[in-house]
Amino acid sequence: MPFQQAQQAEPAEPAGQGRPDEHAEHAPLVRLTRPVRLTRPVSPPQPTRRVPQVQRIELAAGGVRLSGLLALPPDTPPRAVLVALHGSGMAAGYFHGQADASTSLLSLAAGTGYAALALDRPGYGASARLLPHGLCLTEQARCVRAALRAYAAERETGAGFLLVGHSLGGKVALTTAATAGRDDGLLGVDVSGVGARWAVPPDRLAALRHRPDPRLHWGPLTLYPPDTFRLARDFVAPVPAREAEEIPDWPGRYAEVARRIRVPVRFTFAEYERLWAWDPPALRELTGSLTAPLVRIDHEPDAGHNISLGHTARRHHLRLLDFLEECRTRAGA
Protein backbone atom coordinates (compact mmCIF):
# COMPACT_ATOMS: atom_id res chain seq x y z
CA MET A 1 0.00 0.00 0.00
CA PRO A 2 1.27 3.51 -0.81
CA PHE A 3 2.13 4.81 2.69
CA GLN A 4 5.09 6.90 1.56
CA GLN A 5 2.94 8.51 -1.11
CA ALA A 6 0.05 8.97 1.29
CA GLN A 7 2.23 10.97 3.68
CA GLN A 8 2.61 13.67 1.06
CA ALA A 9 0.19 16.57 0.69
CA GLU A 10 -3.46 15.60 0.53
CA PRO A 11 -4.35 14.58 -3.03
CA ALA A 12 -7.13 16.11 -5.03
CA GLU A 13 -10.32 14.12 -5.08
CA PRO A 14 -11.01 12.30 -8.38
CA ALA A 15 -14.25 13.35 -9.97
CA GLY A 16 -17.25 11.07 -9.75
CA GLN A 17 -15.65 7.65 -9.42
CA GLY A 18 -18.06 5.18 -7.93
CA ARG A 19 -20.09 7.67 -5.88
CA PRO A 20 -23.89 7.80 -5.97
CA ASP A 21 -25.65 10.69 -7.63
CA GLU A 22 -26.40 13.87 -5.71
CA HIS A 23 -29.91 12.72 -4.79
CA ALA A 24 -28.87 9.30 -3.45
CA GLU A 25 -28.65 10.63 0.11
CA HIS A 26 -32.42 11.20 0.05
CA ALA A 27 -33.48 8.09 -1.84
CA PRO A 28 -33.04 4.33 -1.40
CA LEU A 29 -29.51 3.32 -2.30
CA VAL A 30 -30.72 0.32 -4.24
CA ARG A 31 -33.90 -0.94 -5.79
CA LEU A 32 -33.76 -4.64 -5.10
CA THR A 33 -34.52 -6.95 -7.98
CA ARG A 34 -36.25 -9.44 -5.69
CA PRO A 35 -37.72 -9.32 -2.17
CA VAL A 36 -35.08 -9.21 0.55
CA ARG A 37 -36.32 -9.48 4.12
CA LEU A 38 -34.76 -6.84 6.33
CA THR A 39 -35.05 -6.86 10.10
CA ARG A 40 -34.53 -4.16 12.69
CA PRO A 41 -30.99 -4.14 14.10
CA VAL A 42 -30.35 -5.29 17.65
CA SER A 43 -27.90 -3.08 19.54
CA PRO A 44 -24.82 -4.85 20.91
CA PRO A 45 -23.99 -4.66 24.62
CA GLN A 46 -22.23 -1.56 25.94
CA PRO A 47 -18.41 -1.74 26.22
CA THR A 48 -16.97 -2.87 29.54
CA ARG A 49 -14.60 -0.63 31.52
CA ARG A 50 -11.68 -3.06 31.46
CA VAL A 51 -9.49 -2.76 28.39
CA PRO A 52 -9.16 -6.20 26.73
CA GLN A 53 -5.65 -7.46 26.00
CA VAL A 54 -4.71 -8.21 22.39
CA GLN A 55 -2.43 -11.23 22.02
CA ARG A 56 -0.65 -12.91 19.14
CA ILE A 57 -1.91 -16.31 18.08
CA GLU A 58 -1.17 -19.05 15.54
CA LEU A 59 -3.67 -21.58 14.20
CA ALA A 60 -3.26 -24.71 12.13
CA ALA A 61 -4.95 -24.21 8.77
CA GLY A 62 -4.80 -27.19 6.44
CA GLY A 63 -1.06 -27.76 6.30
CA VAL A 64 0.02 -24.18 7.08
CA ARG A 65 -0.06 -22.06 10.21
CA LEU A 66 -1.83 -18.72 10.14
CA SER A 67 -0.79 -16.02 12.58
CA GLY A 68 -3.00 -13.27 13.86
CA LEU A 69 -4.22 -11.14 16.75
CA LEU A 70 -6.82 -12.23 19.31
CA ALA A 71 -8.78 -10.23 21.88
CA LEU A 72 -11.10 -11.97 24.35
CA PRO A 73 -13.83 -10.46 26.53
CA PRO A 74 -12.63 -10.04 30.14
CA ASP A 75 -13.92 -12.63 32.62
CA THR A 76 -16.78 -13.93 30.49
CA PRO A 77 -17.35 -16.48 27.70
CA PRO A 78 -17.70 -14.86 24.27
CA ARG A 79 -21.15 -14.22 22.84
CA ALA A 80 -19.71 -15.04 19.40
CA VAL A 81 -16.42 -14.77 17.51
CA LEU A 82 -15.66 -12.04 15.01
CA VAL A 83 -13.04 -13.17 12.45
CA ALA A 84 -11.44 -10.30 10.51
CA LEU A 85 -9.57 -10.67 7.19
CA HIS A 86 -7.37 -7.79 6.03
CA GLY A 87 -6.95 -6.37 2.55
CA SER A 88 -4.16 -6.69 0.01
CA GLY A 89 -0.77 -5.43 1.17
CA MET A 90 -1.90 -5.17 4.80
CA ALA A 91 -1.88 -7.60 7.76
CA ALA A 92 -3.95 -8.39 10.86
CA GLY A 93 -2.83 -5.14 12.54
CA TYR A 94 -5.17 -3.24 10.22
CA PHE A 95 -7.98 -4.10 12.63
CA HIS A 96 -6.04 -2.90 15.68
CA GLY A 97 -5.13 0.64 14.64
CA GLN A 98 -2.65 2.37 16.95
CA ALA A 99 -2.96 6.00 15.82
CA ASP A 100 -6.18 6.28 17.83
CA ALA A 101 -7.18 3.60 20.34
CA SER A 102 -10.85 4.10 19.49
CA THR A 103 -10.26 2.75 15.97
CA SER A 104 -9.36 -0.79 17.17
CA LEU A 105 -12.06 -3.24 16.13
CA LEU A 106 -10.42 -5.94 18.26
CA SER A 107 -10.56 -3.95 21.52
CA LEU A 108 -14.07 -2.69 20.89
CA ALA A 109 -15.46 -6.13 20.05
CA ALA A 110 -13.85 -7.80 23.07
CA GLY A 111 -15.07 -4.98 25.29
CA THR A 112 -18.65 -5.68 24.23
CA GLY A 113 -18.51 -9.42 24.92
CA TYR A 114 -17.27 -10.93 21.65
CA ALA A 115 -14.02 -12.69 20.87
CA ALA A 116 -12.21 -10.89 18.05
CA LEU A 117 -9.70 -12.72 15.86
CA ALA A 118 -7.82 -10.90 13.07
CA LEU A 119 -5.96 -13.37 10.88
CA ASP A 120 -2.91 -12.79 8.70
CA ARG A 121 -4.27 -14.26 5.48
CA PRO A 122 -2.32 -17.03 3.67
CA GLY A 123 0.87 -15.52 2.26
CA TYR A 124 1.14 -12.99 5.07
CA GLY A 125 2.55 -13.17 8.60
CA ALA A 126 3.69 -16.62 9.75
CA SER A 127 2.67 -18.28 6.47
CA ALA A 128 4.63 -15.90 4.21
CA ARG A 129 7.78 -18.06 4.18
CA LEU A 130 5.89 -21.24 3.29
CA LEU A 131 3.61 -19.46 0.81
CA PRO A 132 5.79 -16.73 -0.75
CA HIS A 133 3.49 -16.46 -3.76
CA GLY A 134 0.28 -16.64 -1.70
CA LEU A 135 -2.85 -18.58 -2.59
CA CYS A 136 -5.84 -18.07 -4.85
CA LEU A 137 -9.20 -17.06 -3.35
CA THR A 138 -10.57 -20.60 -3.25
CA GLU A 139 -7.47 -21.90 -1.47
CA GLN A 140 -7.49 -18.98 0.96
CA ALA A 141 -11.11 -19.73 1.83
CA ARG A 142 -10.19 -23.36 2.49
CA CYS A 143 -7.42 -22.24 4.86
CA VAL A 144 -9.73 -19.86 6.70
CA ARG A 145 -12.30 -22.60 7.25
CA ALA A 146 -9.56 -24.90 8.59
CA ALA A 147 -8.35 -22.15 10.93
CA LEU A 148 -11.89 -21.67 12.29
CA ARG A 149 -12.19 -25.39 12.95
CA ALA A 150 -8.87 -25.31 14.80
CA TYR A 151 -10.01 -22.33 16.84
CA ALA A 152 -13.31 -23.98 17.74
CA ALA A 153 -11.49 -27.14 18.87
CA GLU A 154 -9.53 -25.17 21.48
CA ARG A 155 -11.72 -22.23 22.51
CA GLU A 156 -15.32 -21.27 23.16
CA THR A 157 -17.10 -19.74 20.18
CA GLY A 158 -20.45 -18.74 21.65
CA ALA A 159 -23.11 -18.55 18.95
CA GLY A 160 -20.57 -18.99 16.13
CA PHE A 161 -18.46 -16.92 13.73
CA LEU A 162 -19.05 -13.67 11.87
CA LEU A 163 -16.62 -13.21 8.97
CA VAL A 164 -15.45 -9.62 8.50
CA GLY A 165 -13.45 -8.71 5.42
CA HIS A 166 -11.89 -5.53 4.07
CA SER A 167 -11.04 -5.04 0.39
CA LEU A 168 -9.44 -8.25 -0.91
CA GLY A 169 -10.12 -9.76 2.52
CA GLY A 170 -13.78 -9.11 1.76
CA LYS A 171 -13.48 -11.30 -1.33
CA VAL A 172 -11.97 -14.05 0.82
CA ALA A 173 -14.74 -13.62 3.41
CA LEU A 174 -17.47 -13.88 0.76
CA THR A 175 -15.78 -16.89 -0.87
CA THR A 176 -15.45 -18.57 2.54
CA ALA A 177 -19.14 -17.94 3.24
CA ALA A 178 -20.04 -19.41 -0.16
CA THR A 179 -18.16 -22.63 0.59
CA ALA A 180 -19.05 -22.98 4.29
CA GLY A 181 -21.12 -25.90 5.53
CA ARG A 182 -23.65 -25.99 8.35
CA ASP A 183 -21.08 -27.43 10.73
CA ASP A 184 -18.78 -24.42 10.24
CA GLY A 185 -20.90 -22.33 12.62
CA LEU A 186 -21.02 -19.29 10.33
CA LEU A 187 -23.48 -16.59 11.45
CA GLY A 188 -22.96 -14.08 8.66
CA VAL A 189 -20.45 -12.08 6.63
CA ASP A 190 -19.73 -8.33 6.80
CA VAL A 191 -17.48 -6.69 4.19
CA SER A 192 -16.25 -3.22 3.26
CA GLY A 193 -14.10 -1.88 0.44
CA VAL A 194 -15.37 -4.42 -2.08
CA GLY A 195 -18.21 -4.45 -4.61
CA ALA A 196 -19.25 -6.16 -7.82
CA ARG A 197 -18.01 -3.62 -10.38
CA TRP A 198 -14.73 -1.70 -10.56
CA ALA A 199 -14.97 2.09 -10.58
CA VAL A 200 -11.65 2.43 -12.42
CA PRO A 201 -10.96 1.48 -16.06
CA PRO A 202 -9.03 -1.77 -16.71
CA ASP A 203 -5.86 -0.04 -17.91
CA ARG A 204 -5.66 2.11 -14.78
CA LEU A 205 -6.42 -0.90 -12.59
CA ALA A 206 -3.48 -2.77 -14.13
CA ALA A 207 -1.21 0.22 -13.56
CA LEU A 208 -2.13 0.31 -9.86
CA ARG A 209 -0.28 -3.00 -9.35
CA HIS A 210 2.98 -1.20 -10.06
CA ARG A 211 2.16 2.33 -8.93
CA PRO A 212 -0.56 2.57 -6.25
CA ASP A 213 -2.61 5.76 -6.16
CA PRO A 214 -3.22 7.10 -2.62
CA ARG A 215 -6.29 8.99 -3.85
CA LEU A 216 -7.98 5.65 -4.54
CA HIS A 217 -6.77 3.71 -1.50
CA TRP A 218 -7.15 6.46 1.06
CA GLY A 219 -9.14 9.46 -0.11
CA PRO A 220 -8.52 12.81 1.66
CA LEU A 221 -5.81 12.36 4.29
CA THR A 222 -7.82 14.43 6.77
CA LEU A 223 -10.09 11.40 7.17
CA TYR A 224 -7.37 9.68 9.24
CA PRO A 225 -5.88 10.40 12.70
CA PRO A 226 -2.38 11.89 12.89
CA ASP A 227 0.43 9.31 12.70
CA THR A 228 -1.80 6.80 10.88
CA PHE A 229 0.63 6.37 7.99
CA ARG A 230 3.74 6.23 10.16
CA LEU A 231 2.30 3.62 12.53
CA ALA A 232 0.68 1.62 9.75
CA ARG A 233 4.12 0.67 8.44
CA ASP A 234 4.08 -2.02 11.13
CA PHE A 235 1.46 -4.01 9.23
CA VAL A 236 2.28 -3.23 5.62
CA ALA A 237 3.36 -6.31 3.66
CA PRO A 238 4.21 -7.23 0.05
CA VAL A 239 1.28 -8.45 -2.04
CA PRO A 240 1.77 -12.15 -2.95
CA ALA A 241 1.94 -12.74 -6.70
CA ARG A 242 -0.96 -15.22 -6.99
CA GLU A 243 -3.19 -12.85 -5.07
CA ALA A 244 -2.21 -9.90 -7.26
CA GLU A 245 -2.89 -11.84 -10.46
CA GLU A 246 -6.49 -12.49 -9.45
CA ILE A 247 -7.35 -8.94 -8.42
CA PRO A 248 -8.91 -7.82 -11.75
CA ASP A 249 -11.03 -10.99 -12.07
CA TRP A 250 -13.44 -10.46 -9.17
CA PRO A 251 -16.37 -8.87 -11.11
CA GLY A 252 -16.50 -11.96 -13.32
CA ARG A 253 -16.51 -14.31 -10.32
CA TYR A 254 -18.75 -12.40 -7.93
CA ALA A 255 -22.16 -13.60 -9.18
CA GLU A 256 -21.29 -17.29 -8.73
CA VAL A 257 -19.93 -16.65 -5.25
CA ALA A 258 -22.96 -14.55 -4.26
CA ARG A 259 -25.45 -17.20 -5.36
CA ARG A 260 -23.93 -19.71 -2.92
CA ILE A 261 -24.04 -17.58 0.24
CA ARG A 262 -26.69 -18.82 2.67
CA VAL A 263 -26.07 -16.52 5.65
CA PRO A 264 -26.87 -12.83 6.22
CA VAL A 265 -24.53 -10.47 4.37
CA ARG A 266 -23.75 -6.78 4.81
CA PHE A 267 -21.78 -4.44 2.53
CA THR A 268 -20.47 -1.04 3.62
CA PHE A 269 -19.32 1.60 1.15
CA ALA A 270 -17.30 4.58 2.37
CA GLU A 271 -18.17 8.03 1.09
CA TYR A 272 -14.76 8.31 -0.59
CA GLU A 273 -14.66 4.74 -1.91
CA ARG A 274 -12.99 5.14 -5.31
CA LEU A 275 -12.03 1.58 -6.28
CA TRP A 276 -15.57 0.16 -6.40
CA ALA A 277 -18.73 1.54 -7.98
CA TRP A 278 -21.65 1.93 -5.58
CA ASP A 279 -24.14 4.05 -7.49
CA PRO A 280 -27.71 2.67 -7.66
CA PRO A 281 -27.14 0.56 -10.84
CA ALA A 282 -23.99 -0.95 -9.33
CA LEU A 283 -25.81 -1.79 -6.09
CA ARG A 284 -28.65 -3.44 -8.01
CA GLU A 285 -26.00 -5.56 -9.74
CA LEU A 286 -24.42 -6.32 -6.36
CA THR A 287 -27.65 -7.56 -4.77
CA GLY A 288 -29.13 -9.20 -7.86
CA SER A 289 -27.10 -12.39 -7.47
CA LEU A 290 -27.50 -12.74 -3.71
CA THR A 291 -29.81 -15.39 -2.29
CA ALA A 292 -28.87 -14.69 1.33
CA PRO A 293 -31.72 -14.55 3.90
CA LEU A 294 -30.76 -10.97 4.83
CA VAL A 295 -28.99 -8.38 2.70
CA ARG A 296 -27.92 -4.98 3.97
CA ILE A 297 -26.11 -2.15 2.19
CA ASP A 298 -24.70 0.63 4.38
CA HIS A 299 -23.00 3.93 3.63
CA GLU A 300 -20.29 5.39 5.87
CA PRO A 301 -19.95 9.19 5.55
CA ASP A 302 -16.58 10.92 5.96
CA ALA A 303 -14.64 7.71 5.35
CA GLY A 304 -12.20 6.41 2.73
CA HIS A 305 -11.43 2.94 1.39
CA ASN A 306 -9.37 2.04 4.47
CA ILE A 307 -12.40 2.59 6.63
CA SER A 308 -11.16 0.89 9.82
CA LEU A 309 -8.22 3.28 10.16
CA GLY A 310 -10.16 6.53 9.84
CA HIS A 311 -11.79 8.94 12.27
CA THR A 312 -15.17 7.24 11.70
CA ALA A 313 -13.82 3.73 12.39
CA ARG A 314 -15.54 3.40 15.77
CA ARG A 315 -18.92 4.31 14.29
CA HIS A 316 -18.40 1.78 11.50
CA HIS A 317 -17.32 -0.90 13.97
CA LEU A 318 -20.34 -0.30 16.22
CA ARG A 319 -22.60 -0.82 13.21
CA LEU A 320 -20.66 -3.97 12.41
CA LEU A 321 -21.20 -5.27 15.97
CA ASP A 322 -24.86 -4.37 15.71
CA PHE A 323 -25.06 -6.57 12.61
CA LEU A 324 -23.25 -9.36 14.47
CA GLU A 325 -25.78 -9.20 17.29
CA GLU A 326 -28.60 -9.28 14.76
CA CYS A 327 -27.08 -12.38 13.11
CA ARG A 328 -26.69 -13.94 16.54
CA THR A 329 -30.32 -13.26 17.40
CA ARG A 330 -31.50 -14.66 14.04
CA ALA A 331 -29.53 -17.82 14.74
CA GLY A 332 -31.50 -18.28 17.95
CA ALA A 333 -28.61 -17.68 20.33
Side-chain angles (χ1 to χ4, degrees):
M1 300 296 286
F3 286 94
Q4 290 77 13
Q5 298 177 41
Q7 289 180 292
Q8 299 173 3
E10 180 176 327
E13 181 180 329
Q17 295 213 52
R19 295 187 65 187
D21 60 49
E22 62 181 351
H23 303 294
E25 187 74 20
H26 308 289
L29 283 179
V30 59
R31 182 179 179 182
L32 299 177
T33 57
R34 53 173 182 74
V36 175
R37 183 159 57 94
L38 301 180
T39 61
R40 296 183 63 184
V42 181
S43 296
Q46 294 299 310
T48 59
R49 292 185 178 180
R50 287 187 56 188
V51 178
Q53 297 298 310
V54 177
Q55 57 186 295
R56 295 195 176 276
I57 186 176
E58 287 194 10
L59 293 169
V64 300
R65 294 192 68 81
L66 298 186
S67 54
L69 300 173
L70 174 66
L72 298 173
D75 306 321
T76 183
R79 301 164 65 86
V81 183
L82 180 155
V83 180
L85 304 172
H86 60 86
S88 188
M90 295 281 192
Y94 171 82
F95 295 102
H96 188 44
Q98 298 298 293
D100 182 343
S102 69
T103 64
S104 172
L105 173 60
L106 302 186
S107 298
L108 179 63
T112 52
Y114 306 102
L117 171 65
L119 289 174
D120 293 318
R121 291 190 291 100
Y124 295 85
S127 67
R129 177 174 293 184
L130 182 63
L131 301 171
H133 303 295
L135 295 176
C136 68
L137 283 177
T138 302
E139 293 168 333
Q140 289 194 55
R142 188 179 301 115
C143 277
V144 170
R145 290 179 59 198
L148 298 190
R149 287 194 295 271
Y151 183 95
E154 299 176 358
R155 297 171 177 83
E156 295 184 76
T157 61
F161 298 102
L162 176 78
L163 289 176
V164 175
H166 169 252
S167 196
L168 197 143
K171 301 176 188 178
V172 177
L174 292 167
T175 305
T176 303
T179 56
R182 292 185 179 181
D183 58 346
D184 287 314
L186 188 59
L187 298 172
V189 57
D190 187 300
V191 298
S192 63
V194 64
R197 183 198 305 170
W198 290 108
V200 293
D203 57 340
R204 189 178 184 193
L205 185 64
L208 290 175
R209 291 180 56 182
H210 307 288
R211 189 171 182 176
D213 186 342
R215 294 172 298 176
L216 298 179
H217 291 101
W218 296 95
L221 303 190
T222 54
L223 298 175
Y224 302 91
D227 280 341
T228 292
F229 305 104
R230 179 179 64 82
L231 294 172
R233 290 194 186 103
D234 292 341
F235 54 81
V236 174
V239 180
R242 291 187 65 187
E243 180 171 298
E245 291 168 359
E246 281 192 329
I247 287 176
D249 303 335
W250 177 249
R253 303 176 59 171
Y254 169 74
E256 177 60 26
V257 170
R259 278 193 289 268
R260 299 169 63 189
I261 296 175
R262 296 292 182 265
V263 293
V265 59
R266 173 178 176 259
F267 289 84
T268 298
F269 290 92
E271 179 180 359
Y272 293 94
E273 174 60 61
R274 293 293 184 250
L275 290 172
W276 297 98
W278 56 284
D279 54 12
L283 294 185
R284 286 194 291 270
E285 182 179 339
L286 182 76
T287 59
S289 301
L290 285 165
T291 58
L294 170 65
V295 178
R296 179 176 294 173
I297 309 292
D298 279 345
H299 165 228
E300 191 62 65
D302 302 316
H305 176 76
N306 288 311
I307 192 169
S308 286
L309 294 174
H311 287 298
T312 64
R314 180 178 174 86
R315 182 176 65 196
H316 168 61
H317 295 157
L318 285 170
R319 290 176 176 173
L320 189 160
L321 294 176
D322 187 88
F323 180 67
L324 170 52
E325 188 63 15
E326 183 176 0
C327 292
R328 180 178 174 275
T329 300
R330 290 174 61 91

